[in-house]
Amino acid sequence: MSLENCAHRLELQDLLATYAAAADERDRERYSHCFTDDVEVVGFGDQTHFGRSNWVEYVWTALGNYDSTQHLLGSQLATIDGKRASARTDVQALHVLAGSEEKFTLWATYLSDMILTEHGWKICRHELVVRASQSH
């Protein structure tokens, strides 16, 4: 594996870690910078979401249902082909419902396609594959 490929793998991991941390820290601007303008997002709700601004608005509305969240990411399996990459990243996400002590835990996998832009790697397609969930 080349040094350039190693550097790209670390950048891809950082991109998904930034995605998760920005959601948990409610940093809308940093979250928004993780995506291309024309991102396609699948598996979050019943519809496919097109475009960064539409997606970020959807997420911020959804985050309003929770007092806090914590997204823990597992190991990432990435494939890099020039300026395109795809990654499989497992996630366990804890959600604390707003105004309540009730919690919701999600176990899932993110399937993310990314593209290398002049501003670094960006997510151009993102899919949530739910494995299990539990309210407690």
Side-chain angles (χ1 to χ4, degrees):
M1 180 182 309
S2 72
L3 287 177
E4 181 182 44
N5 205 20
C6 288
H8 287 315
R9 285 181 178 279
L10 290 173
E11 291 165 1
L12 296 173
Q13 289 173 8
D14 283 353
L15 176 58
L16 268 287
T18 298
Y19 161 91
D24 292 341
E25 295 166 4
R26 305 305 193 260
D27 186 337
R28 187 177 180 139
E29 184 175 342
R30 190 167 61 151
Y31 185 84
S32 179
H33 287 301
C34 293
F35 304 96
T36 60
D37 287 340
D38 61 349
V39 66
E40 175 186 354
V41 182
V42 178
F44 293 80
D46 294 334
Q47 64 185 26
T48 299
H49 304 275
F50 295 99
R52 176 174 49 204
S53 60
N54 290 334
W55 169 241
V56 172
E57 187 62 35
Y58 172 84
V59 169
W60 249 250
T61 299
L63 286 174
N65 295 314
Y66 308 107
D67 284 338
S68 64
T69 57
Q70 184 182 44
H71 292 74
L72 302 174
L73 302 181
S75 299
Q76 184 181 83
L77 298 173
T79 303
I80 302 166
D81 184 11
K83 293 185 176 196
R84 299 195 69 81
S86 59
R88 178 195 183 283
T89 310
D90 289 323
V91 60
Q92 178 178 312
L94 175 67
H95 305 75
V96 179
L97 296 176
S100 169
E101 292 187 26
E102 186 176 347
K103 296 171 185 73
F104 172 76
T105 302
L106 174 70
W107 294 272
T109 301
Y110 293 142
L111 301 176
S112 307
D113 293 333
M114 287 143 307
I115 189 165
L116 184 57
T117 72
E118 62 186 50
H119 302 291
W121 288 97
K122 304 288 182 184
I123 300 168
C124 58
R125 186 178 188 283
H126 190 57
E127 181 175 353
L128 176 72
V129 178
V130 175
R131 304 297 179 187
S133 63
Q134 178 183 34
S135 295
H136 44 99

